[in-house]
Amino acid sequence: MTLTIGVDVGGTKVAAGVVDPAGAVLAHTRRDTPAEDVAKTRDVIIEAVTELAAGREIEAVGIGAAGWIDATRSNVLFAPNIAWRDEPLREYVTAATGLPVIVENDANAAAWAEFRFGAARQAEDSMVMFTIGTGVGGALVLGGDLVRGTHGIAAELGHVLSVPEGHLCGCGRHGCLEQYASGNALVRFARAGARQDPGNAAALLELAEGDAEAIAGPMVTAAAMDGDPVSRQAFAQIGHWLGIALADMVQILDPQMLVVGGGVVEAGDLLLGPTRRSYVDSLAQRNRAAVAELRAAEMGNTAGVVGAGDLARRR
């Protein structure tokens, strides 16, 4: 049985695990990410790999990194939450560990885990995945392979246009999907609703101690589960925009499966209910033909590690 190591590098944590060919994590470790220090971040990754490789026959290492990865899967061109700029990550980790290494975008790695072992495992050919967290990530699988694009940075689905001249996005554009279907958007919608209609936000405002500006994502989820109207409407709003984007992907790609993952999906039908309704409504006459099934991601917090490890095996 061949073993690989998958590493999931985010702005706050580095998670790593030993991954077998069936997608099981046999051992794991976790460390904080020293995101402002490039050398220390690199050292933390190497420490995690070295710890897990000790006493094991490891074939290769896959690193899922939150950022733009070049087409050779070697260098992190840019990372929004880590001080990586043209970082030759594969070269450093290979030199330190003596193991073959591939570097992949973290959303691609998580999506690959869902395609191989999770919600889309029954799809042989194609899948589109949206990852709904603080922002919106995306990944495409076509013909059984990840679509990386000419420059390695395809499938930035959070930065497709939703609202012309809409809210300013961190990418510099106005009106990106990320500004309407992310965790940040959920909070913005909930705060606005609480200010405009405090009577229908009583449960939410109680959690925020009466201060609409103190509302945070977990509060919105908790209040929505208790039936708070403003909180439920905030989920309906992000579901509306996400459903439209999913329908657009069907019109463009006609995939076998659509998967929605990320932290916000833990709210279950609070998000997926309005998303499904918007998705179906947005397809109009297209629904006369077969369309992709929409599923919630299944791999949870292990997706990035498992996907990176499996991609390393298939390098």
Side-chain angles (χ1 to χ4, degrees), residues 30 54 166:
R30 177 174 173 148

Side-chain angles (χ1 to χ4, degrees), residues 34-312:
E36 298 303 317
D37 190 316
V38 171
K40 287 183 179 178
T41 299
R42 183 192 313 144
D43 290 344
V44 164
I45 295 168
I46 292 167
E47 287 169 8
V49 171
T50 301
E51 174 189 329
L52 292 172
R56 297 184 174 95
E57 291 291 330
I58 300 297
E59 177 185 347
V61 177
I63 301 172
W68 294 349
I69 313 301
D70 75 347
T72 68
R73 295 192 288 170
S74 303
N75 307 312
V76 184
L77 302 175
F78 172 82
N81 299 312
I82 301 174
W84 280 331
R85 304 293 184 269
D86 296 315
E87 170 75 1
L89 189 57
R90 183 173 75 177
E91 178 184 332
Y92 283 124
V93 178
T94 296
T97 64
L99 292 167
V101 174
I102 62 107
V103 183
E104 186 63 78
N105 171 266
D106 62 336
N108 278 351
W112 185 252
E114 295 293 343
F115 181 71
R116 289 273 288 130
F117 308 109
R121 61 187 176 276
Q122 295 172 338
E124 308 88 13
D125 176 74
S126 52
M127 178 196 76
V128 176
M129 181 167 172
F130 283 82
T131 305
I132 312 300
T134 303
V136 175
L140 305 175
V141 176
L142 295 177
D145 290 317
L146 281 166
V147 175
R148 297 182 176 89
T150 300
H151 304 101
I153 52 177
E156 287 290 341
L157 302 184
H159 299 289
V160 298
L161 183 66
S162 289
V163 180
E165 305 303 320
H167 290 289
L168 177 64
C169 184
C171 75
R173 299 181 73 197
H174 287 263
C176 290
L177 177 66
E178 185 166 293
Q179 297 304 306
Y180 295 88
S182 63
N184 282 342
L186 177 73
V187 170
R188 190 180 71 247
F189 288 138
R191 287 176 178 173
R195 288 192 298 267
Q196 294 165 9
D197 189 5
N200 276 319
L204 180 58
L205 286 168
E206 182 178 353
L207 292 173
E209 298 182 348
D211 182 3
E213 296 308 308
I215 291 170
M219 297 177 192
V220 183
T221 301
M225 288 180 172
D226 284 341
D228 182 83
V230 163
S231 299
R232 285 181 171 263
Q233 180 59 25
F235 274 104
Q237 286 176 280
I238 68 170
H240 168 76
W241 294 110
L242 179 58
I244 291 172
L246 289 165
D248 286 346
M249 292 298 103
V250 166
Q251 300 288 17
I252 297 167
L253 299 172
D254 190 23
Q256 287 177 286
M257 199 77 70
L258 297 167
V259 177
V260 178
V264 178
V265 177
E266 294 175 6
D269 277 346
L270 288 172
L271 173 62
L272 293 176
T275 299
R276 285 193 175 96
R277 289 191 292 273
S278 175
Y279 168 57
V280 171
D281 290 347
S282 298
L283 288 170
Q285 293 298 324
R286 180 61 184 266
N287 262 329
R288 293 176 178 270
V291 294
E293 181 183 352
L294 171 59
R295 293 185 178 181
E298 296 178 0
M299 298 294 291
N301 292 332
T302 67
V305 167
V306 171
D310 195 62
L311 287 166

